[in-house]
Amino acid sequence: MKALVLSGGAGTRLRPITHTSAKQLVPVANKPVLFYGLEAIAAAGITEVGMVVGETAAEIEEAVGDGSKFGLEVTYIPQERPLGLAHAVLIARDFLAGDDFVMYLGDNFVVGGINSLVDAFRVSRPDAQILLTHVPDPRSFGVAELDPAGQVIGLEEKPEHPKSDLALVGVYLFTPVIHEAVRAIRPSWRGELEITHALQHLIDTRADVRSTVIEGYWKDTGNVGDMLEVNRTVLESMERRIDGEVDDRSETVGRIVVEEGARIVNSRIVGPVAIGSGTVISDSYVGPYTSVAENCRISDSELEFSIVLRDSSIDGVGRIESSLIGRHVEVTPAAGVPSAHRLVLGDHSKVQIRS
């Protein structure tokens, strides 16, 4: 069995962060989201991975390499532009050959891994196995319709009027039958080859398409709110570990990871919190559900429920919360007078200001 990992999306909902970084490499608890998926694939006993990459290919390849650090053998499959999940299957035909495979969206996060799902698929080998979960607003997802017996009878991509609240999770399992389906469909109104259409083709041709409704935690980390929620979930599962330096004037409470080379000076850290190597936190408060990546500087500030990427500094700005701060960012206080806001913001930014 092989794996097909999709890492070619542009990540428009995470702009301006993704103007300069692949969305799959934005870190959760100081580890890229993509790495959690690769680790889950390796843990399920799969070693051959085809990785579909787009305009951020160089960055993805630099981070993942040949896959050996995950126990994987990675083959990169270039996609000129994102033309749909079924298109990714289409262009990966040579790599996948005649093998069963799991398709994993590189920006998705599934707590607990995929071991049991892969094991069950290997035993029963339906033509396709999809994962579903209940969501409050299914209009942003592929949506499944089930009959009273729980059999999949219909699938729609981002419907205006969903027939259920069951969204497709970004993990799919297929036999080679899917290759005929992706060749049979036509682009949707979005100009993409939709995997929901390919699955519907299988249903219409009486193929064996099964579903599993997962009760565990799943997130599509496509926006800032979801990134912060996944960060919170991962941090809650950490064990306390302090390998860096914490001086006598500092207080650390709860599940905290302080990597080697990090320093905490005259500060209060209340977990769960992850602090990367080379980071210095001084005269500050860092509160729950916060991850600070490597080589950052936080001084005379308060930070909570946030993600700070590497090589950034926050100095003397009071309290920051519910924020995603990119790489090489400097956050400093504005002059007291005149009373005005001075902003330098990337495209598609969202800012809340109290006048």
Side-chain angles (χ1 to χ4, degrees):
M1 193 171 188
K2 294 176 180 175
L4 185 66
V5 178
L6 276 55
S7 302
T12 55
R13 291 179 294 160
L14 275 174
R15 288 176 176 168
I17 298 295
T18 49
H19 279 308
T20 54
S21 178
K23 66 175 180 176
Q24 298 85 4
L25 297 181
V26 176
V28 168
N30 291 343
K31 181 165 67 176
V33 172
L34 175 61
F35 288 11
Y36 291 96
L38 294 176
E39 289 169 355
I41 288 166
I46 299 170
T47 57
E48 293 182 74
V49 175
M51 187 164 295
V52 177
V53 291
E55 59 184 23
T56 59
E59 190 178 5
I60 297 288
E61 291 184 32
E62 181 181 1
V64 176
D66 62 2
S68 57
K69 63 184 175 183
F70 304 98
L72 303 172
E73 300 174 10
V74 173
T75 299
Y76 291 97
I77 304 168
Q79 186 180 37
E80 185 175 339
R81 55 195 179 97
L83 293 173
L85 305 188
H87 181 260
V89 176
L90 191 67
I91 65 173
R93 181 70 175 89
D94 289 344
F95 166 78
L96 295 169
D99 295 310
D100 296 349
F101 67 98
V102 56
M103 183 169 73
Y104 200 115
L105 274 59
D107 60 349
N108 275 226
F109 185 88
V110 181
V111 169
I114 59 172
N115 292 23
S116 59
L117 300 166
V118 170
D119 289 344
F121 182 82
R122 282 173 164 147
V123 171
S124 57
R125 288 195 76 236
D127 296 311
Q129 178 86 35
I130 60 175
L131 306 186
L132 306 173
T133 191
H134 296 281
V135 295
D137 184 3
R139 292 175 298 176
S140 299
F141 303 93
V143 177
E145 181 185 5
L146 308 183
D147 66 15
Q151 183 67 34
V152 184
I153 57 174
L155 293 155
E156 294 181 282
E157 185 65 31
K158 298 180 173 63
E160 184 64 29
H161 303 287
K163 295 179 180 178
S164 80
D165 66 346
L166 289 170
L168 275 76
V169 174
V171 179
Y172 308 78
L173 298 107
F174 295 116
T175 66
V177 172
I178 191 64
H179 295 300
E180 178 184 345
V182 298
R183 289 196 302 270
I185 61 174
R186 295 292 177 265
S188 67
W189 61 270
R190 301 193 304 164
E192 298 185 3
L193 291 176
E194 311 285 3
I195 198 66
T196 47
H197 291 180
L199 287 162
Q200 187 64 54
H201 177 83
L202 292 179
I203 294 169
D204 294 341
T205 55
R206 300 185 180 278
D208 186 5
V209 178
R210 302 182 192 178
S211 67
T212 300
V213 178
I214 63 171
E215 303 299 333
Y217 187 86
W218 163 79
K219 275 289 184 183
D220 169 5
T221 60
N223 60 53
V224 173
D226 287 339
M227 286 293 303
L228 294 174
E229 279 298 315
V230 172
N231 193 59
R232 176 187 63 79
T233 299
V234 176
L235 290 174
E236 284 180 335
S237 66
M238 293 188 321
E239 297 294 331
R240 181 181 173 94
R241 175 170 56 84
I242 298 181
D243 296 330
E245 300 178 23
V246 179
D247 75 356
D248 293 339
R249 295 175 296 163
S250 297
E251 179 185 13
T252 59
V253 180
R255 292 186 296 277
I256 296 168
V257 171
V258 180
E259 298 290 353
E260 185 176 356
R263 291 194 297 125
I264 312 299
V265 180
N266 192 33
S267 297
R268 187 167 191 259
I269 315 296
V270 179
V273 167
I275 299 169
S277 62
T279 286
V280 178
I281 298 176
S282 60
D283 304 307
S284 296
Y285 165 79
V286 178
Y289 311 123
T290 300
S291 61
V292 182
E294 65 271 20
N295 300 320
C296 292
R297 298 291 182 270
I298 298 176
S299 61
D300 192 24
S301 300
E302 296 184 2
L303 184 65
E304 190 167 296
F305 192 53
S306 294
I307 298 173
V308 182
L309 276 59
R310 62 179 173 84
D311 301 302
S312 291
S313 65
I314 300 171
D315 183 11
V317 295
R319 187 174 181 84
I320 294 175
E321 60 182 27
S322 304
S323 298
L324 174 57
I325 297 172
R327 300 174 298 179
H328 300 280
V329 169
E330 295 181 8
V331 183
T332 56
V337 291
S339 181
H341 301 290
R342 182 179 180 183
L343 305 173
V344 178
L345 302 172
D347 296 348
H348 305 282
S349 293
K350 294 182 180 180
V351 178
Q352 294 179 326
I353 296 176
R354 176 177 293 176
S355 301

